[in-house]
Amino acid sequence: MNEKNLDLIGKEMEVTSVDVQDKIKKKSRVYNRLFFKVYVNYALVVLLFALVLGAVFLQLSEKAAKNNIKQQLFSQAKAIAKRYNEFILDEDYEKSLPYIEVLSEVGIVADDVWVLSNPNASIPMNSDFTTGIDLKDISREYQEVYLGAFAGEDTYRSRYSKIYGFDIISVGVPVRGANGEVCGAILLNAKVERQTEAIRDTKSMIFLSMVVALIVSFIFAILFARQLVRPISKMRQTALLLAEKKYESKTGINRKDEIGDLARTIDFLTDKLMENEVIRKNLDQMRMDFFANVSHELRTPITVVRAYTESLVDGVVEEESTKQQYYEKMLLECKSMERLVGDLLILAKMQNPDFVIDKEPVNLTQVFDDILKTVRTMGMKKRISVCLENDHTVQLMYGDYDRLRQMFLVICDNAIKFSKEDSTIYISVTRGEKLRISIRDEGIGIDGDELSSIFDKFYKSKLRQNAKGSGLGLAIARQIALKHGGTIEVFSTISVGTEFVFSFDYITEEELEQR
């Protein structure tokens, strides 16, 4: 790739970065900010609450004011009616009109006091007691009130008066004569002017309260939004750091609410990402080590084969016996490479999670009868004997016969390789909660520091017995055990010996028959 192409890519990345920043700026406008949304919703709720509360309060205050005026008017009207009843009984015409004038001077609730005579009574109120108002001159809007009073009832009505231009409250109270008959009525009219002023003052107070509430809501919205936005911003910063592979980042948020749960989830994610990063680095290192080991293992036989081949091609070797030795060496190295490649293929297949072994009932007694023949042949040069202990003639488990045989042969081969001459290998197959197989030798043992590494690919100790090994045998044996749902453990003491212990699920003959 030339410099021109690199410059074009760089410019495209800059343009993309600018576009992303522009999008972020557009998204972060004031009306898109969480604080603005919190404040607007909070203010709308407060405003709506204030309007509803104000409307209810105005209705209640208006109703209470009218009820208060109504009660006062009825109380005064009844007092006047009682006084007029005394005037009628005493026929004291001279005191009635000055009484009304005195009431107006002392300031009663009513704006007008009308004393009306009942024309329908057998003995109507004397005109000297009335306020001189003819019923024909009274507006029809007052008719319901005085007619109710003439009928002997306390009457009340609230309405808008065209005469006064205000809301008027009118009450009517009957006045009884000497014979107990309703001879007239007391009619009190009061303008609701003072109530209107009170309602106006109430509206002003409600408006002022709404303004104060909006200011207070702004302050509370700031505090609430800061408490809400600050941890979210912290989690956003942590997420950006995680995107940059800074997996040690933490939110540092310790709250006992949903935001705290989200923060703990992000912190849990950082831990998992850190663990996965460590695993990834280990896998990368293992991959690098794997290729290095494979290259190392293949380099030696390829070099040897090449050297022998070049010698034969160049005619350096002329003797037939020497040529035959070279051919044998080349064949031996080819077999070694073939064995290495085969082991790699087997190990790769075993480590594949999708690979499933075809299992069938296998009698381990037959497996070890087959193995013993091979192991005794392998140990003949070092005069190594093999001792098998089996507590059942039939030891059944589900598995692959060839894979199980390969697994146990790997362990037995290592046991022969590291055992002393004239020693014994002990094989034990016993049944308890699990099927337990033990293979123990009397060899040189394994150092404690190496026990945790012996199942790693290409791991070989520096002992001369491992010079020709590929370092894959125990790794393959472990994978075979895992594919059969079993476990493999190793116990070793220097200069005493090593023991490999396998554990598998077994099946009885009865279970096999039922299946």
Side-chain angles (χ1 to χ4, degrees):
M1 186 178 292
N2 54 33
E3 294 182 359
K4 186 177 181 180
N5 291 333
L6 290 175
D7 291 338
L8 290 174
I9 293 173
K11 290 180 180 179
E12 290 177 357
M13 292 178 65
E14 290 179 0
V15 172
T16 304
S17 177
V18 171
D19 292 340
V20 172
Q21 291 177 2
D22 290 340
K23 289 181 181 179
I24 292 174
K25 288 181 180 178
K26 289 180 181 179
K27 290 183 179 179
S28 53
R29 289 175 180 172
V30 176
Y31 54 81
N32 286 329
R33 302 296 293 176
L34 182 60
F35 164 76
F36 181 80
K37 293 180 180 179
V38 170
Y39 170 68
V40 169
N41 286 279
Y42 194 86
L44 288 176
V45 171
V46 173
L47 185 62
L48 180 62
F49 179 76
L51 290 174
V52 173
L53 186 63
V56 173
F57 182 76
L58 286 174
Q59 291 293 328
L60 292 177
S61 62
E62 182 179 354
K63 185 176 181 181
K66 288 184 178 180
N67 285 334
N68 185 38
I69 295 175
K70 172 185 172 184
Q71 295 299 327
Q72 291 184 23
L73 288 175
F74 269 123
S75 178
Q76 293 176 357
K78 288 179 180 179
I80 295 171
K82 182 179 179 182
R83 189 63 175 163
Y84 262 82
N85 182 259
E86 294 175 357
F87 291 153
I88 292 172
L89 293 176
D90 297 338
E91 296 184 356
D92 193 351
Y93 307 114
E94 297 179 355
K95 292 183 178 179
S96 60
L97 291 178
Y99 175 72
I100 296 298
E101 294 176 358
V102 170
L103 289 176
S104 301
E105 291 176 359
V106 298
I108 62 174
V109 176
D111 295 292
D112 291 325
V113 181
W114 295 347
V115 181
L116 305 176
S117 176
N118 183 8
N120 298 323
S122 57
I123 306 176
M125 182 186 296
N126 193 297
S127 59
D128 293 333
F129 289 106
T130 66
T131 52
I133 299 176
D134 192 349
L135 294 179
K136 296 180 181 179
D137 298 331
I138 299 177
S139 175
R140 294 185 61 184
E141 59 190 24
Y142 298 101
Q143 187 176 6
E144 181 181 347
V145 180
Y146 68 74
L147 288 179
F150 289 162
E153 299 177 355
D154 295 339
T155 56
Y156 159 81
R157 185 178 180 188
S158 175
R159 67 199 176 283
Y160 177 79
S161 174
K162 297 179 180 179
I163 298 174
Y164 294 100
F166 292 101
D167 286 340
I168 295 295
I169 295 178
S170 301
V171 297
V173 176
V175 178
R176 300 185 182 275
N179 58 356
E181 186 183 15
V182 177
C183 62
I186 304 296
L187 191 66
L188 301 184
N189 298 317
K191 294 183 287 186
V192 197
E193 202 171 3
R194 281 170 281 180
Q195 178 193 0
T196 305
E197 294 177 357
I199 292 174
R200 191 182 299 113
D201 294 338
T202 302
K203 288 181 178 178
S204 299
M205 291 297 296
I206 291 175
F207 178 76
L208 180 60
S209 301
M210 289 170 58
V211 173
V212 173
L214 289 176
I215 295 174
V216 173
S217 68
F218 179 77
I219 297 173
F220 277 101
I222 291 176
L223 298 176
F224 176 74
R226 287 183 64 184
Q227 291 182 352
L228 185 66
V229 172
R230 186 177 295 174
I232 294 176
S233 299
K234 181 63 178 175
M235 288 186 281
R236 174 180 172 274
Q237 294 173 1
T238 304
L240 292 175
L241 291 174
L242 292 178
E244 296 175 1
K245 297 185 178 181
K246 297 178 180 179
Y247 300 127
E248 70 281 358
S249 304
K250 295 283 186 178
T251 60
I253 298 172
N254 186 16
R255 294 176 51 157
K256 297 181 179 179
D257 54 10
E258 288 80 359
I259 293 179
D261 294 339
L262 179 59
R264 283 188 290 273
T265 303
I266 293 177
D267 289 341
F268 177 75
L269 176 62
T270 60
D271 293 335
K272 288 298 181 182
L273 289 175
M274 191 178 299
E275 292 177 7
N276 291 336
E277 180 66 11
V278 173
I279 294 173
R280 186 189 66 80
K281 289 181 179 180
N282 291 336
L283 290 175
D284 289 342
Q285 186 63 40
M286 291 174 62
R287 190 179 298 109
M288 293 174 62
D289 294 342
F290 174 78
F291 286 120
N293 289 324
V294 170
S295 301
H296 176 74
E297 293 295 331
L298 291 176
R299 184 183 295 114
T300 301
I302 290 175
T303 302
V304 172
V305 171
R306 178 181 178 181
Y308 287 151
T309 305
E310 288 177 348
S311 298
L312 292 171
V313 171
D314 295 339
V316 175
V317 180
E318 296 180 354
E319 296 181 3
E320 290 298 328
S321 60
T322 305
K323 288 182 180 180
Q324 186 64 31
Q325 292 177 3
Y326 276 25
Y327 291 142
E328 291 176 358
K329 289 285 186 181
M330 292 167 61
L331 179 60
L332 182 63
E333 294 299 335
C334 289
K335 289 182 178 180
S336 176
M337 286 189 289
E338 182 181 11
R339 183 172 62 254
L340 175 61
V341 173
D343 289 345
L344 286 173
L345 291 174
I346 293 173
L347 186 59
K349 185 185 295 185
M350 289 294 173
Q351 290 181 330
N352 186 355
D354 297 329
F355 176 72
V356 179
I357 289 180
D358 294 329
K359 297 179 182 179
E360 60 182 0
V362 176
N363 185 0
L364 286 186
T365 301
Q366 295 179 352
V367 174
F368 279 102
D369 287 343
D370 186 3
I371 290 174
L372 284 179
K373 300 174 183 177
T374 305
V375 174
R376 284 172 178 155
T377 302
M378 293 166 59
M380 287 179 62
K381 291 182 180 181
K382 299 173 71 173
R383 298 180 299 279
I384 296 175
S385 60
V386 182
C387 179
L388 174 63
E389 179 184 350
N390 190 352
D391 61 358
H392 287 75
T393 56
V394 178
Q395 301 281 19
L396 292 174
M397 65 171 286
Y398 280 104
D400 186 314
Y401 185 97
D402 292 331
R403 296 299 182 191
L404 291 173
R405 181 178 181 279
Q406 180 185 9
M407 177 182 66
F408 293 129
L409 273 177
V410 168
I411 306 301
C412 292
D413 180 58
N414 280 349
I416 293 173
K417 187 187 300 183
F418 295 100
S419 292
K420 303 172 185 178
E421 294 182 353
D422 299 316
S423 61
T424 304
I425 296 175
Y426 300 92
I427 300 176
S428 172
V429 183
T430 57
R431 189 191 303 176
E433 294 183 359
K434 296 278 188 177
L435 191 58
R436 184 178 183 274
I437 299 95
S438 168
I439 301 175
R440 180 173 59 87
D441 61 54
E442 297 176 335
I444 59 177
I446 304 172
D447 187 83
D449 296 335
E450 297 181 348
L451 284 176
S452 59
S453 304
I454 62 174
F455 294 107
D456 295 341
K457 294 188 294 290
F458 296 108
Y459 178 80
K460 294 190 293 183
S461 64
K462 297 180 180 180
L463 299 174
R464 59 177 178 80
Q465 290 89 337
N466 266 337
K468 296 183 180 181
S470 64
L472 297 174
L474 290 179
I476 294 173
R478 183 172 180 270
Q479 290 299 321
I480 294 175
L482 292 176
K483 287 295 182 181
H484 283 81
T487 60
I488 178 172
E489 297 178 286
V490 58
F491 307 93
S492 184
T493 304
I494 296 296
S495 301
V496 176
T498 303
E499 180 182 18
F500 286 85
V501 178
F502 297 85
S503 179
F504 299 100
D505 292 326
Y506 65 89
I507 54 177
T508 62
E509 291 86 344
E510 293 79 7
E511 291 175 342
L512 183 62
E513 291 177 357
Q514 292 176 359
R515 295 185 185 184

